[in-house]
Amino acid sequence: MSKKTISFVSTRGRGLNTDLQLVKDNLMAALPEVEFEYYLNKTATKIPLINTKMEDARRTFCTEAQNIICMDPSIPIKIPSASERERRLLLATPFDYQFNIFMKYHDNPDQPKKQTFIRCTHVMPGSPFTAKLFHSFYEWEDNVTFLDDIPLPISWDILQEEKRTTVKKQLEFYFPQAKGKKILSILLVGQKPEDGSEPVNLFDNFNLKKIMDYIDDDWFVITNNWDLVEISYQLPYQYSSKFGYIKNKISLNDMMYLSDMLITNSSKHAGNFSITKKPIYYLEYLPKIFGNFIKKFYPSMYLKDLEQLLTLDFSNTELSPEQKNFCQEFSYDPTENPLETIEKLFKY
């Protein structure tokens, strides 16, 4: 008798994101009798023929898979509906595509509903925003189950004290000067030029010293951004007590566990971090649909450039009314462990 399999699928070049990794690790420990398979190929290249072949391969893989866990538009709609015994779970990590769909339907609500996720049997939206988005603008088969009121795995994990303690020790190992300080994380995402041209420093001529003097001494600034690091070389040595670069030391996701304030252009990081009920700001750094969303609906959280850090009150970490609304819209109260919920779903 063949063993039951669970397949992890991603087609956007993201591999196993943090949510999928946490689920995989938990299921491997909880279900040792299960085999695990992976389809993590990127299906969007500059060569149409390759894209077609990769789409065909993905469709074949998903058609033959017993159970699927994914986190983006990964399950093709051109496969049969799931059998009664199959589980096809979507973990709705708040990537930019959600805000792209929201803004399109906000401007034109009479568009036909999308069928993107119609072959999923279970959906974990992770937030009220995504739950409403999916119910409003997507078609679903009659047997779909929404796992509402449950945070996504990474959001749940961010609040776990044991993990927070581990990451804190790691941070203080690399940056002992951060011990006892509040952490301001400036975490930015963006691709390097794909045409082979030299990347442009988007913070060129920015006066980082002015900002560091403005930020209270009880803060330690962490960033993953090389543009900021390049201009940090102009700072006098004593500023090392207030500034650190985490590349190859601590992951971006791990900084979610320790941050007292987050400045980012990533919808994923902002959405995950919202469960902490701590201040969040969007910083304009390369075009993002998420930025358009924040600018329109949460304007006080939108920073058009780093100079606007000078408008923030670093002596106060209380949430503004808009930040409170954002955190409520993008996180559920952590009352149920999503990993245990997923384990029960696939333990049949």
Side-chain angles (χ1 to χ4, degrees):
M1 183 176 178
S2 61
K3 296 178 70 174
K4 185 171 76 173
T5 61
I6 296 176
S7 300
F8 290 86
V9 180
S10 170
T11 65
R12 297 300 177 91
R14 297 186 176 113
L16 286 179
N17 77 334
T18 311
D19 284 315
L20 291 184
Q21 188 68 53
L22 287 168
V23 171
K24 178 183 77 76
D25 292 346
N26 184 73
L27 291 181
M28 280 185 162
L31 306 176
E33 73 282 3
V34 172
E35 287 186 350
F36 294 88
E37 297 179 341
Y38 308 90
Y39 190 91
L40 309 175
N41 294 325
K42 185 174 183 179
T43 56
T45 72
K46 294 183 176 181
I47 305 175
L49 181 60
I50 292 179
N51 294 341
T52 299
K53 290 185 176 181
M54 295 299 286
E55 287 289 348
D56 290 342
R58 176 171 66 110
R59 184 163 55 249
T60 300
F61 180 90
C62 290
T63 300
E64 297 174 353
Q66 291 181 10
N67 300 283
I68 297 173
I69 303 176
C70 66
M71 48 78 184
D72 62 15
S74 305
I75 302 177
I77 64 174
K78 295 180 180 179
I79 66 173
S81 299
S83 70
E84 186 177 343
R85 297 285 292 173
E86 285 182 289
R87 305 286 187 267
R88 296 172 179 170
L89 171 65
L90 169 66
L91 301 178
T93 301
F95 288 117
D96 224 37
Y97 77 85
Q98 294 189 17
F99 301 93
N100 186 33
I101 292 296
F102 178 86
M103 297 298 279
K104 284 182 177 179
Y105 278 87
H106 182 270
D107 295 337
N108 184 11
D110 295 328
Q111 296 181 73
K113 290 187 176 182
K114 300 287 185 180
Q115 292 188 325
T116 312
F117 305 110
I118 199 167
R119 298 308 182 202
C120 295
T121 64
H122 295 77
V123 180
M124 184 173 284
S127 73
F129 171 85
T130 303
K132 184 177 180 180
L133 176 82
F134 281 2
H135 281 297
S136 300
F137 306 135
Y138 288 86
E139 287 188 16
W140 305 94
E141 294 188 331
D142 292 338
N143 64 341
V144 68
T145 299
F146 272 76
L147 304 172
D148 290 325
D149 302 319
I150 304 172
L152 289 170
I154 179 60
S155 296
W156 170 270
D157 204 53
I158 284 171
L159 298 182
Q160 304 312 302
E161 193 58 40
E162 183 177 354
K163 181 63 179 288
R164 289 166 60 87
T165 300
T166 299
V167 177
K168 184 178 181 181
K169 289 180 179 178
Q170 186 181 17
L171 176 72
E172 292 177 355
F173 173 80
Y174 288 111
F175 303 103
Q177 63 272 38
K179 189 173 183 177
K181 292 189 175 184
K182 292 178 288 187
I183 305 299
L184 167 61
S185 292
I186 303 177
L187 306 180
L188 305 174
V189 298
Q191 295 181 343
K192 294 180 179 179
E194 296 182 355
D195 58 4
S197 63
E198 287 293 321
V200 177
N201 188 329
L202 298 179
F203 297 138
D204 197 24
N205 298 319
F206 171 71
N207 190 339
L208 181 60
K209 182 178 181 299
K210 184 178 180 181
I211 294 293
M212 297 304 293
D213 287 336
Y214 176 78
I215 296 174
D216 298 336
D217 289 338
D218 59 346
W219 285 88
F220 188 79
V221 179
I222 281 285
T223 189
N224 69 313
N225 183 262
W226 184 249
D227 287 347
L228 274 178
V229 174
E230 281 192 318
I231 59 176
S232 74
Y233 295 145
Q234 304 169 20
L235 295 174
Y237 175 75
Q238 64 265 28
Y239 286 83
S240 63
S241 64
K242 295 178 65 173
F243 186 87
Y245 178 51
I246 61 171
K247 185 69 177 285
N248 300 326
K249 296 178 180 177
I250 304 172
S251 74
L252 270 68
N253 288 311
D254 280 355
M255 287 313 304
M256 300 292 106
Y257 295 80
L258 297 183
S259 299
D260 295 285
M261 182 184 294
L262 175 65
I263 297 174
T264 187
N265 67 334
S266 165
S267 58
K268 179 172 75 77
H269 293 323
N272 292 338
F273 188 71
S274 64
I275 199 170
T276 67
K277 305 295 191 289
K278 295 178 179 178
I280 303 171
Y281 293 94
Y282 177 89
L283 176 63
E284 190 62 48
Y285 180 83
L286 303 176
K288 291 281 183 181
I289 298 294
F290 181 54
N292 297 337
F293 171 84
I294 293 293
K295 190 174 183 179
K296 185 176 183 68
F297 297 101
Y298 294 94
S300 70
M301 293 172 54
Y302 178 85
L303 306 178
K304 67 178 181 179
D305 53 43
L306 277 175
E307 293 285 350
Q308 287 201 289
L309 289 178
L310 296 171
T311 67
L312 305 185
D313 182 2
F314 289 97
S315 65
N316 178 21
T317 55
E318 294 293 322
L319 296 183
S320 69
E322 279 193 3
Q323 289 170 335
K324 286 181 180 178
N325 290 338
F326 181 88
C327 290
Q328 290 174 354
E329 190 173 12
F330 286 91
S331 65
Y332 287 122
D333 291 333
T335 56
E336 185 173 344
N337 185 339
L339 296 175
E340 292 179 356
T341 301
I342 295 170
E343 180 185 327
K344 292 175 184 176
L345 180 63
F346 286 92
K347 195 174 184 178
Y348 62 87

